[in-house]
Amino acid sequence: MRIRKKPWAEKYIQDHGDYIVTDPKKWLGKWQQRFAKQQPLNVEVGIGKGRFIIETAKLHPEINYIGIELQTSVIATALRTFMDNPLPNVQFVLTDGANLDELFYQNEVQKIFLNFSDPWPKKRHAKRRLTSPLFLKTYQTVLADDGNIEFKTDNRGLFEYTLVTMNNFPMTFEYVSLNLHQSPENESNVETEYEQKFSPKGPIYKLIAHFTTEQPGD
């Protein structure tokens, strides 16, 4: 989907450098310096308008959060919302989330959130999906040994693809829901803007999974 350019976005980002990073590789190994306290680090890849990461950070002040977004206009919108009530445990990063292993040290991240990622439905684009084996390998590098991935989508095809790729990697599923909003766990669910808009039209799928030490063929 084409994002409409916001003429104010670049300057707004420049004016709020305490909360947003545009040169993330310079912060490799130093992310905790950008937060008020050193705490476990969670990362959301693709933050949309920022509702999920902001509301989740409010609920968990004991955790530091980094929200990654590639689109300048999108992350500027999230940042502007955040600045209405800034939190000491949130940072935004304007970059491509494809190479997390170039942004974080091995085992540095406790949890990765993937919320309503682009499904890239055409088979020839499968490698671009954020749960393709190539991406999973990167997540495995930066996640702590006891870390995990939380994934939500309204796209059944992408969900089925993700179940297969994670199972084959291999990963272990801690939680799988084919209709999150009808599950007891929905009481603690923090919705994204996209989720609020589209959940009435169909089920929301969710899974939580962690990497195993087992290798294929063992």
Side-chain angles (χ1 to χ4, degrees):
M1 181 178 67
R2 186 174 182 178
I3 305 298
R4 181 179 299 176
K5 185 175 181 180
K6 293 178 169 57
W8 54 268
E10 291 187 6
K11 186 177 187 306
Y12 194 84
I13 289 171
Q14 293 173 4
D15 291 344
H16 296 85
D18 288 346
Y19 290 102
I20 186 166
V21 169
T22 58
D23 52 353
K25 292 183 180 180
K26 293 183 180 180
W27 289 93
L28 177 65
K30 299 183 289 187
W31 288 109
Q32 295 291 348
Q33 296 177 20
R34 296 192 60 88
F35 296 97
K37 294 189 291 185
Q38 184 167 327
Q39 303 181 133
L41 184 63
N42 290 358
V43 174
E44 183 184 12
V45 180
I47 64 170
K49 295 181 180 178
R51 184 182 189 277
F52 177 85
I53 195 168
I54 293 170
E55 296 303 319
T56 302
K58 289 178 183 178
L59 293 172
H60 297 284
E62 77 283 2
I63 297 173
N64 290 334
Y65 292 86
I66 289 180
I68 295 176
E69 175 59 51
L70 176 61
Q71 299 289 341
T72 300
S73 294
V74 174
I75 201 168
T77 300
L79 179 63
R80 188 165 65 173
T81 300
F82 171 78
M83 292 309 300
D84 289 339
N85 184 22
L87 303 168
N89 62 328
V90 175
Q91 287 284 312
F92 298 96
V93 179
L94 176 60
T95 193
D96 189 342
N99 299 309
L100 293 189
D101 54 347
E102 296 180 3
L103 308 182
F104 302 101
Y105 278 156
Q106 186 173 355
N107 303 327
E108 185 176 4
V109 177
Q110 190 63 37
K111 184 186 293 288
I112 294 173
F113 295 101
L114 304 173
N115 292 316
F116 302 92
S117 310
D118 191 328
W120 292 104
K122 295 181 180 180
K123 185 175 294 187
R124 69 176 183 271
H125 294 152
K127 65 181 180 180
R128 300 184 185 182
R129 298 169 190 164
L130 294 189
T131 52
S132 71
L134 183 63
F135 279 92
L136 294 180
K137 185 177 181 180
T138 302
Y139 305 150
Q140 185 180 36
T141 299
V142 302
L143 275 174
D145 291 340
D146 60 345
N148 59 28
I149 295 173
E150 291 197 13
F151 171 81
K152 286 195 294 185
T153 184
D154 64 334
N155 187 290
R156 186 177 182 90
L158 179 61
F159 191 71
E160 292 174 348
Y161 170 85
T162 299
L163 287 172
V164 172
T165 58
M166 287 187 171
N167 183 66
N168 290 342
F169 197 81
M171 297 181 70
T172 299
F173 297 104
E174 303 172 20
Y175 173 78
V176 175
S177 175
L178 300 180
N179 196 339
L180 175 62
H181 288 196
Q182 298 299 318
S183 302
E185 290 79 3
N186 190 51
E187 294 182 5
S188 60
N189 178 49
V190 177
E191 296 184 0
T192 71
E193 296 88 356
Y194 182 95
E195 186 174 357
Q196 289 180 322
K197 182 177 181 180
F198 288 98
S199 60
K201 300 181 180 181
I204 301 300
Y205 308 99
K206 180 177 179 178
L207 63 81
I208 303 174
H210 65 266
F211 292 97
T212 67
T213 56
E214 176 188 358
Q215 297 298 317
D218 286 356

